[in-house]
Amino acid sequence: MTDYHPYMNHSQLNILQRMGIETWQLRQAPLEIPQNAWENLQLAVKACTACPLACTRTQTVFGVGSTKAQLMLVGEAPGFYEDQQGEPFVGRAGKLLDAMLNALGLTRNDVFIANILKCRPPNNRDPLPEEVSQCTPFLEKQIAFVKPKLLVAVGRISAHFLLKTKSPLNTLRQKIHQTSTDTPLIVTYHPAYLLRNPQDKRRAWADLQFIRRTLAEQA
Ligand code: URA
């Protein structure tokens, strides 16, 4: 017996034990995420100066959507318009992403959309590994809070960082990957890539069907 029994002290428990009487132990309460954790996370992102992108950003881009979403999309990093507006995927690629979501019968308010990086890399260059390692704890906390049933890595860069691989995107599609966050993950094309390569929209459509089916199976 331990001293943590809620109703009896150690010697009372000892007496019962010597009499051969079993006592109930209260199980450790599940780790509660405090109510204000989300607001605190938003504030922490806003105030972050952990990497030099803090000096070049207009503002941070936390993410958008429902904190109760079953589906969480993870892009790469804010671009020019996202940096200006403080919301992910608002440029032309964002419009295509909205259309892809609509094909699933969803809007951006039904899902949660985040990026690996919360700040825009200058000239939209690829994120640097040091920037990713400083920023991913924010994404991990977002995933832990929202607890989506399914993650979708939007594009090669996101897939490579989330799956810690360098495999070509095409070989990562149409599979359910397990991640360190324990949330299954599917990879699909980045809408900016699809704007440049419309011939792959047919494959992206197949990915959307795969996402829809997987989500239904996870429910
Ligand atoms: N590309 C991304 O990966 N994320 C955005 O938010 C915008 C463009």
Side-chain angles (χ1 to χ4, degrees), residues 29 35 53 122 124 128 157 161 171:
Q35 274 296 306
L53 296 183
N124 297 349
L128 301 176
I157 304 262
F161 280 118
T171 65

Side-chain angles (χ1 to χ4, degrees), residues 70 143 147-151 177-185:
Q70 299 195 343
I143 296 170
K147 294 194 221 73
K149 292 210 167 106
L150 184 63
L151 287 167
H177 303 268
Q178 290 309 321
T179 63
S180 53
T181 66
D182 275 347
T183 313
L185 180 141

